Amino acid sequence: KEKRFMSVLSDWEIKELAEQQEMIAPFIDYSCKEKDGKRILSYGLGSYGYDIRLSPSQCLIFGGNQRGDCDPKNFDSENILKPAELLEDENGQYFILPPYGYCLGVAQEHLKLPRNVTVVAVGKSTYARSGILVNITPAEAGWEGYLTLEISNCTGLFNRIYADEGITQLIFHRGKPCATSYQDRKG
């Protein structure tokens, strides 16, 4: 009986897929921790993952409406109040996430997943210490595009979410090619 397994991709495997199959674009083959001489929240290749950036182009604040309900089967886009304003100071560009707020952002990197690779996201410790949780739904084998990032502020404080800097780490899982990919299902 053939063994079936799924493995987490290492740095050299991620780099190979990014360079040969355009799995991540743009692709940075190291952990970038500085930009224009200033310390930033790191992004790029890690030992067993890849830290992606929050795009400055879109961040939608969700909620703020104390009436009604949110039905995931019949989502009302009116519950998304407004685009967050992109602010800037000596520390960089950022959005403000209100206390106990929630926003939808978009990744700066484009993904093009092979038929045998699925991605999940885990938080960055810098944001976790600030009470920020970042989530994405799994990007399944064959998925292509810019990930939607779900970002929650679990504190009673206003929190900065930096654009064009690392926001979450992607973990790539490789298994046997699936029988039906995301593209096959026309997801």
Side-chain angles (χ1 to χ4, degrees), residues 95-112:
F95 299 104
I96 292 288
L97 191 52
Y100 306 109
Y102 177 78
C103 70
L104 298 175
V106 64
Q108 197 156 319
E109 291 80 6
H110 182 269
L111 298 184
K112 183 178 173 184

Side-chain angles (χ1 to χ4, degrees), residues 19 21 24 47 83 108 116-117 129 178:
E19 292 177 348
Q21 297 183 35
I24 305 168
S47 300
Q108 197 156 319
N116 63 342
V117 174
R129 284 190 297 272
C178 54

Side-chain angles (χ1 to χ4, degrees), residues 7-52:
S7 64
V8 173
L9 297 184
S10 66
D11 51 4
W12 67 268
E13 292 170 299
I14 295 167
K15 181 177 179 177
E16 185 175 88
L17 288 170
E19 292 177 348
Q20 294 176 7
Q21 297 183 35
E22 299 176 329
M23 184 173 75
I24 305 168
F27 178 73
I28 307 297
D29 67 355
Y30 60 95
S31 181
C32 182
K33 299 176 183 181
E34 187 177 290
K35 186 174 183 180
D36 300 328
K38 294 182 181 179
R39 186 180 70 83
I40 61 170
L41 300 174
S42 63
Y43 64 90
L45 187 61
S47 300
Y48 283 94
Y50 192 90
D51 288 11
I52 59 173

Side-chain angles (χ1 to χ4, degrees), residues 95-149:
F95 299 104
I96 292 288
L97 191 52
Y100 306 109
Y102 177 78
C103 70
L104 298 175
V106 64
Q108 197 156 319
E109 291 80 6
H110 182 269
L111 298 184
K112 183 178 173 184
L113 297 178
R115 192 172 184 90
N116 63 342
V117 174
T118 289
V119 171
V120 294
V122 294
K124 289 180 66 70
S125 60
T126 303
Y127 276 120
R129 284 190 297 272
S130 298
I132 296 296
L133 299 178
V134 180
N135 182 50
I136 65 163
T137 55
E140 294 186 15
W143 185 85
E144 182 176 350
Y146 294 91
L147 292 170
T148 298
L149 307 171

